[in-house]
Amino acid sequence: QVRLVESGGGLVQAGGSLRLSCAASRNIHSINNLAWYRQAPGQEREWVAGVGLRNSADFADSVKGRFTASRDHDKNTVYLELNSLKSDDTAVYYCYARRGADSFWGQGTQVTTD
């Protein structure tokens, strides 16, 4: 079992930045699949970014060049930095982890771009 708790969301003006954090309840150094998803009102949940064990990150085309992602194994925390925010980025952002056959989700944190 892995408990994930996101934080850092809020209201920001277009062009602004936020940093989201996802604290895990256990060591993440053995969890290869850590990712961020988001769900906008009336839309399906979509993948935003994935962070590998060696901090290599992949991004959805819609956020590439604007968002960065990383993990800190000492703090068991995954980060998503959102830059140059647009109104289309407004969504609830979720942290995701898969360990073996089990998947885990955080409760989400709201990001609203004004």
Side-chain angles (χ1 to χ4, degrees):
Q1 193 68 266
V2 181
R3 184 167 177 255
L4 303 170
V5 179
E6 301 97 333
S7 61
L11 174 64
V12 63
Q13 289 188 337
S17 298
L18 283 173
R19 189 171 87 154
L20 308 183
S21 300
C22 170
S25 61
R26 60 177 299 153
N27 289 336
I28 62 171
H29 68 273
S30 61
I31 302 177
N32 183 47
N33 195 336
L34 286 171
W36 289 93
Y37 286 73
R38 67 184 181 186
Q39 187 167 20
Q43 304 292 321
E44 293 187 354
R45 193 171 296 189
E46 64 173 358
W47 176 81
V48 175
V51 189
L53 282 172
R54 297 180 180 178
N55 256 324
S56 59
D58 294 311
F59 300 92
D61 287 344
S62 59
V63 306
K64 199 171 292 184
R66 299 188 298 121
F67 291 9
T68 62
S70 61
R71 56 163 81 193
D72 185 329
H73 288 171
D74 290 337
K75 297 181 179 179
N76 294 322
T77 301
V78 185
Y79 301 98
L80 182 69
E81 186 155 341
L82 294 67
N83 301 302
S84 302
L85 281 161
K86 307 175 182 178
S87 57
D88 288 349
D89 296 318
T90 294
V92 178
Y93 284 71
Y94 297 92
C95 186
Y96 168 86
R98 190 173 73 206
R99 188 168 183 269
D102 298 319
S103 295
F104 306 94
W105 292 93
Q107 83 289 349
T109 185
Q110 176 72 47
V111 171
T112 303
T113 304
D114 191 355

PDB file of all heavy atoms in Angstrom, residues 83-104:
ATOM      1  N   ASN A  83       4.832  26.000 -15.152  1.00  0.00           N
ATOM      2  CA  ASN A  83       5.247  27.341 -15.554  1.00  0.00           C
ATOM      3  C   ASN A  83       4.424  27.804 -16.752  1.00  0.00           C
ATOM      4  O   ASN A  83       3.835  26.990 -17.464  1.00  0.00           O
ATOM      5  CB  ASN A  83       6.735  27.355 -15.908  1.00  0.00           C
ATOM      6  CG  ASN A  83       7.619  26.928 -14.763  1.00  0.00           C
ATOM      7  OD1 ASN A  83       7.591  27.528 -13.684  1.00  0.00           O
ATOM      8  ND2 ASN A  83       8.402  25.885 -14.973  1.00  0.00           N
ATOM      9  N   SER A  84       4.415  29.095 -16.957  1.00  0.00           N
ATOM     10  CA  SER A  84       3.683  29.687 -18.083  1.00  0.00           C
ATOM     11  C   SER A  84       2.272  29.130 -18.152  1.00  0.00           C
ATOM     12  O   SER A  84       1.806  28.693 -19.209  1.00  0.00           O
ATOM     13  CB  SER A  84       4.430  29.416 -19.403  1.00  0.00           C
ATOM     14  OG  SER A  84       5.744  29.922 -19.356  1.00  0.00           O
ATOM     15  N   LEU A  85       1.599  29.152 -17.030  1.00  0.00           N
ATOM     16  CA  LEU A  85       0.278  28.537 -16.944  1.00  0.00           C
ATOM     17  C   LEU A  85      -0.738  29.223 -17.839  1.00  0.00           C
ATOM     18  O   LEU A  85      -0.725  30.445 -18.014  1.00  0.00           O
ATOM     19  CB  LEU A  85      -0.199  28.538 -15.501  1.00  0.00           C
ATOM     20  CG  LEU A  85       0.429  27.427 -14.645  1.00  0.00           C
ATOM     21  CD1 LEU A  85       0.299  27.729 -13.171  1.00  0.00           C
ATOM     22  CD2 LEU A  85      -0.227  26.091 -14.980  1.00  0.00           C
ATOM     23  N   LYS A  86      -1.622  28.398 -18.399  1.00  0.00           N
ATOM     24  CA  LYS A  86      -2.689  28.861 -19.271  1.00  0.00           C
ATOM     25  C   LYS A  86      -4.027  28.452 -18.659  1.00  0.00           C
ATOM     26  O   LYS A  86      -4.093  27.593 -17.782  1.00  0.00           O
ATOM     27  CB  LYS A  86      -2.559  28.203 -20.647  1.00  0.00           C
ATOM     28  CG  LYS A  86      -1.211  28.334 -21.314  1.00  0.00           C
ATOM     29  CD  LYS A  86      -1.185  27.531 -22.598  1.00  0.00           C
ATOM     30  CE  LYS A  86       0.173  27.586 -23.270  1.00  0.00           C
ATOM     31  NZ  LYS A  86       0.212  26.765 -24.516  1.00  0.00           N
ATOM     32  N   SER A  87      -5.091  29.036 -19.185  1.00  0.00           N
ATOM     33  CA  SER A  87      -6.421  28.672 -18.689  1.00  0.00           C
ATOM     34  C   SER A  87      -6.704  27.189 -18.929  1.00  0.00           C
ATOM     35  O   SER A  87      -7.390  26.542 -18.130  1.00  0.00           O
ATOM     36  CB  SER A  87      -7.484  29.533 -19.366  1.00  0.00           C
ATOM     37  OG  SER A  87      -7.414  29.392 -20.768  1.00  0.00           O
ATOM     38  N   ASP A  88      -6.151  26.622 -19.988  1.00  0.00           N
ATOM     39  CA  ASP A  88      -6.361  25.196 -20.287  1.00  0.00           C
ATOM     40  C   ASP A  88      -5.715  24.279 -19.261  1.00  0.00           C
ATOM     41  O   ASP A  88      -5.991  23.077 -19.244  1.00  0.00           O
ATOM     42  CB  ASP A  88      -5.794  24.846 -21.676  1.00  0.00           C
ATOM     43  CG  ASP A  88      -6.616  25.419 -22.804  1.00  0.00           C
ATOM     44  OD1 ASP A  88      -7.732  25.912 -22.528  1.00  0.00           O
ATOM     45  OD2 ASP A  88      -6.150  25.392 -23.958  1.00  0.00           O
ATOM     46  N   ASP A  89      -4.839  24.816 -18.433  1.00  0.00           N
ATOM     47  CA  ASP A  89      -4.185  24.006 -17.411  1.00  0.00           C
ATOM     48  C   ASP A  89      -5.050  23.852 -16.157  1.00  0.00           C
ATOM     49  O   ASP A  89      -4.681  23.103 -15.244  1.00  0.00           O
ATOM     50  CB  ASP A  89      -2.842  24.623 -17.019  1.00  0.00           C
ATOM     51  CG  ASP A  89      -1.860  24.638 -18.177  1.00  0.00           C
ATOM     52  OD1 ASP A  89      -1.781  23.642 -18.913  1.00  0.00           O
ATOM     53  OD2 ASP A  89      -1.170  25.667 -18.350  1.00  0.00           O
ATOM     54  N   THR A  90      -6.160  24.571 -16.100  1.00  0.00           N
ATOM     55  CA  THR A  90      -7.051  24.464 -14.959  1.00  0.00           C
ATOM     56  C   THR A  90      -7.593  23.039 -14.844  1.00  0.00           C
ATOM     57  O   THR A  90      -8.188  22.520 -15.792  1.00  0.00           O
ATOM     58  CB  THR A  90      -8.218  25.454 -15.085  1.00  0.00           C
ATOM     59  OG1 THR A  90      -7.699  26.785 -15.001  1.00  0.00           O
ATOM     60  CG2 THR A  90      -9.250  25.235 -13.991  1.00  0.00           C
ATOM     61  N   ALA A  91      -7.349  22.415 -13.708  1.00  0.00           N
ATOM     62  CA  ALA A  91      -7.741  21.019 -13.511  1.00  0.00           C
ATOM     63  C   ALA A  91      -7.405  20.607 -12.082  1.00  0.00           C
ATOM     64  O   ALA A  91      -6.708  21.330 -11.359  1.00  0.00           O
ATOM     65  CB  ALA A  91      -6.998  20.111 -14.481  1.00  0.00           C
ATOM     66  N   VAL A  92      -7.904  19.444 -11.715  1.00  0.00           N
ATOM     67  CA  VAL A  92      -7.411  18.791 -10.504  1.00  0.00           C
ATOM     68  C   VAL A  92      -6.232  17.917 -10.921  1.00  0.00           C
ATOM     69  O   VAL A  92      -6.352  17.114 -11.859  1.00  0.00           O
ATOM     70  CB  VAL A  92      -8.508  17.944  -9.836  1.00  0.00           C
ATOM     71  CG1 VAL A  92      -7.939  17.231  -8.606  1.00  0.00           C
ATOM     72  CG2 VAL A  92      -9.694  18.819  -9.452  1.00  0.00           C
ATOM     73  N   TYR A  93      -5.122  18.082 -10.237  1.00  0.00           N
ATOM     74  CA  TYR A  93      -3.911  17.345 -10.560  1.00  0.00           C
ATOM     75  C   TYR A  93      -3.733  16.205  -9.554  1.00  0.00           C
ATOM     76  O   TYR A  93      -3.801  16.419  -8.342  1.00  0.00           O
ATOM     77  CB  TYR A  93      -2.700  18.278 -10.531  1.00  0.00           C
ATOM     78  CG  TYR A  93      -2.632  19.154 -11.749  1.00  0.00           C
ATOM     79  CD1 TYR A  93      -3.544  20.192 -11.938  1.00  0.00           C
ATOM     80  CD2 TYR A  93      -1.675  18.947 -12.740  1.00  0.00           C
ATOM     81  CE1 TYR A  93      -3.510  20.979 -13.069  1.00  0.00           C
ATOM     82  CE2 TYR A  93      -1.622  19.741 -13.879  1.00  0.00           C
ATOM     83  CZ  TYR A  93      -2.545  20.747 -14.040  1.00  0.00           C
ATOM     84  OH  TYR A  93      -2.508  21.536 -15.171  1.00  0.00           O
ATOM     85  N   TYR A  94      -3.497  15.018 -10.097  1.00  0.00           N
ATOM     86  CA  TYR A  94      -3.379  13.808  -9.285  1.00  0.00           C
ATOM     87  C   TYR A  94      -1.994  13.184  -9.415  1.00  0.00           C
ATOM     88  O   TYR A  94      -1.437  13.124 -10.509  1.00  0.00           O
ATOM     89  CB  TYR A  94      -4.404  12.771  -9.733  1.00  0.00           C
ATOM     90  CG  TYR A  94      -5.833  13.174  -9.555  1.00  0.00           C
ATOM     91  CD1 TYR A  94      -6.536  13.805 -10.574  1.00  0.00           C
ATOM     92  CD2 TYR A  94      -6.503  12.903  -8.353  1.00  0.00           C
ATOM     93  CE1 TYR A  94      -7.857  14.178 -10.418  1.00  0.00           C
ATOM     94  CE2 TYR A  94      -7.829  13.274  -8.187  1.00  0.00           C
ATOM     95  CZ  TYR A  94      -8.492  13.905  -9.217  1.00  0.00           C
ATOM     96  OH  TYR A  94      -9.806  14.264  -9.050  1.00  0.00           O
ATOM     97  N   CYS A  95      -1.521  12.695  -8.313  1.00  0.00           N
ATOM     98  CA  CYS A  95      -0.287  11.915  -8.283  1.00  0.00           C
ATOM     99  C   CYS A  95      -0.649  10.438  -8.421  1.00  0.00           C
ATOM    100  O   CYS A  95      -1.696   9.992  -7.893  1.00  0.00           O
ATOM    101  CB  CYS A  95       0.404  12.173  -6.948  1.00  0.00           C
ATOM    102  SG  CYS A  95       2.034  11.418  -6.788  1.00  0.00           S
ATOM    103  N   TYR A  96       0.176   9.693  -9.113  1.00  0.00           N
ATOM    104  CA  TYR A  96      -0.091   8.275  -9.398  1.00  0.00           C
ATOM    105  C   TYR A  96       1.180   7.468  -9.188  1.00  0.00           C
ATOM    106  O   TYR A  96       2.280   7.915  -9.541  1.00  0.00           O
ATOM    107  CB  TYR A  96      -0.565   8.133 -10.841  1.00  0.00           C
ATOM    108  CG  TYR A  96      -0.606   6.720 -11.351  1.00  0.00           C
ATOM    109  CD1 TYR A  96      -1.715   5.919 -11.129  1.00  0.00           C
ATOM    110  CD2 TYR A  96       0.467   6.185 -12.063  1.00  0.00           C
ATOM    111  CE1 TYR A  96      -1.757   4.612 -11.603  1.00  0.00           C
ATOM    112  CE2 TYR A  96       0.443   4.890 -12.528  1.00  0.00           C
ATOM    113  CZ  TYR A  96      -0.662   4.112 -12.304  1.00  0.00           C
ATOM    114  OH  TYR A  96      -0.701   2.823 -12.772  1.00  0.00           O
ATOM    115  N   ALA A  97       1.012   6.290  -8.612  1.00  0.00           N
ATOM    116  CA  ALA A  97       2.132   5.369  -8.456  1.00  0.00           C
ATOM    117  C   ALA A  97       1.672   3.963  -8.769  1.00  0.00           C
ATOM    118  O   ALA A  97       0.540   3.584  -8.456  1.00  0.00           O
ATOM    119  CB  ALA A  97       2.686   5.425  -7.034  1.00  0.00           C
ATOM    120  N   ARG A  98       2.531   3.215  -9.416  1.00  0.00           N
ATOM    121  CA  ARG A  98       2.235   1.801  -9.637  1.00  0.00           C
ATOM    122  C   ARG A  98       3.393   0.978  -9.096  1.00  0.00           C
ATOM    123  O   ARG A  98       4.559   1.214  -9.438  1.00  0.00           O
ATOM    124  CB  ARG A  98       2.017   1.476 -11.103  1.00  0.00           C
ATOM    125  CG  ARG A  98       1.482   0.066 -11.301  1.00  0.00           C
ATOM    126  CD  ARG A  98       1.116  -0.199 -12.727  1.00  0.00           C
ATOM    127  NE  ARG A  98       2.302  -0.358 -13.545  1.00  0.00           N
ATOM    128  CZ  ARG A  98       2.327  -0.116 -14.853  1.00  0.00           C
ATOM    129  NH1 ARG A  98       1.263   0.321 -15.461  1.00  0.00           N
ATOM    130  NH2 ARG A  98       3.445  -0.283 -15.529  1.00  0.00           N
ATOM    131  N   ARG A  99       3.037   0.039  -8.240  1.00  0.00           N
ATOM    132  CA  ARG A  99       4.034  -0.838  -7.650  1.00  0.00           C
ATOM    133  C   ARG A  99       3.590  -2.265  -7.909  1.00  0.00           C
ATOM    134  O   ARG A  99       2.595  -2.728  -7.363  1.00  0.00           O
ATOM    135  CB  ARG A  99       4.163  -0.558  -6.159  1.00  0.00           C
ATOM    136  CG  ARG A  99       5.306  -1.288  -5.490  1.00  0.00           C
ATOM    137  CD  ARG A  99       5.543  -0.729  -4.096  1.00  0.00           C
ATOM    138  NE  ARG A  99       6.681  -1.359  -3.455  1.00  0.00           N
ATOM    139  CZ  ARG A  99       6.589  -2.435  -2.685  1.00  0.00           C
ATOM    140  NH1 ARG A  99       5.416  -2.988  -2.466  1.00  0.00           N
ATOM    141  NH2 ARG A  99       7.660  -2.953  -2.149  1.00  0.00           N
ATOM    142  N   GLY A 100       4.277  -2.924  -8.795  1.00  0.00           N
ATOM    143  CA  GLY A 100       3.845  -4.256  -9.210  1.00  0.00           C
ATOM    144  C   GLY A 100       2.528  -4.150  -9.949  1.00  0.00           C
ATOM    145  O   GLY A 100       2.381  -3.347 -10.863  1.00  0.00           O
ATOM    146  N   ALA A 101       1.560  -4.922  -9.514  1.00  0.00           N
ATOM    147  CA  ALA A 101       0.246  -4.919 -10.159  1.00  0.00           C
ATOM    148  C   ALA A 101      -0.717  -3.918  -9.533  1.00  0.00           C
ATOM    149  O   ALA A 101      -1.855  -3.785  -9.975  1.00  0.00           O
ATOM    150  CB  ALA A 101      -0.369  -6.310 -10.088  1.00  0.00           C
ATOM    151  N   ASP A 102      -0.270  -3.215  -8.505  1.00  0.00           N
ATOM    152  CA  ASP A 102      -1.148  -2.308  -7.759  1.00  0.00           C
ATOM    153  C   ASP A 102      -0.913  -0.862  -8.167  1.00  0.00           C
ATOM    154  O   ASP A 102       0.224  -0.423  -8.306  1.00  0.00           O
ATOM    155  CB  ASP A 102      -0.903  -2.455  -6.253  1.00  0.00           C
ATOM    156  CG  ASP A 102      -1.209  -3.853  -5.764  1.00  0.00           C
ATOM    157  OD1 ASP A 102      -2.230  -4.422  -6.210  1.00  0.00           O
ATOM    158  OD2 ASP A 102      -0.431  -4.374  -4.950  1.00  0.00           O
ATOM    159  N   SER A 103      -2.019  -0.129  -8.306  1.00  0.00           N
ATOM    160  CA  SER A 103      -1.969   1.292  -8.643  1.00  0.00           C
ATOM    161  C   SER A 103      -2.526   2.107  -7.489  1.00  0.00           C
ATOM    162  O   SER A 103      -3.469   1.677  -6.813  1.00  0.00           O
ATOM    163  CB  SER A 103      -2.806   1.574  -9.896  1.00  0.00           C
ATOM    164  OG  SER A 103      -2.250   0.922 -11.010  1.00  0.00           O
ATOM    165  N   PHE A 104      -1.954   3.290  -7.305  1.00  0.00           N
ATOM    166  CA  PHE A 104      -2.355   4.147  -6.202  1.00  0.00           C
ATOM    167  C   PHE A 104      -2.521   5.578  -6.717  1.00  0.00           C
ATOM    168  O   PHE A 104      -1.748   6.035  -7.556  1.00  0.00           O
ATOM    169  CB  PHE A 104      -1.305   4.125  -5.086  1.00  0.00           C
ATOM    170  CG  PHE A 104      -0.988   2.737  -4.611  1.00  0.00           C
ATOM    171  CD1 PHE A 104       0.081   2.041  -5.154  1.00  0.00           C
ATOM    172  CD2 PHE A 104      -1.765   2.125  -3.648  1.00  0.00           C
ATOM    173  CE1 PHE A 104       0.375   0.755  -4.740  1.00  0.00           C
ATOM    174  CE2 PHE A 104      -1.476   0.835  -3.216  1.00  0.00           C
ATOM    175  CZ  PHE A 104      -0.402   0.149  -3.772  1.00  0.00           C
TER     176      PHE A 104
END
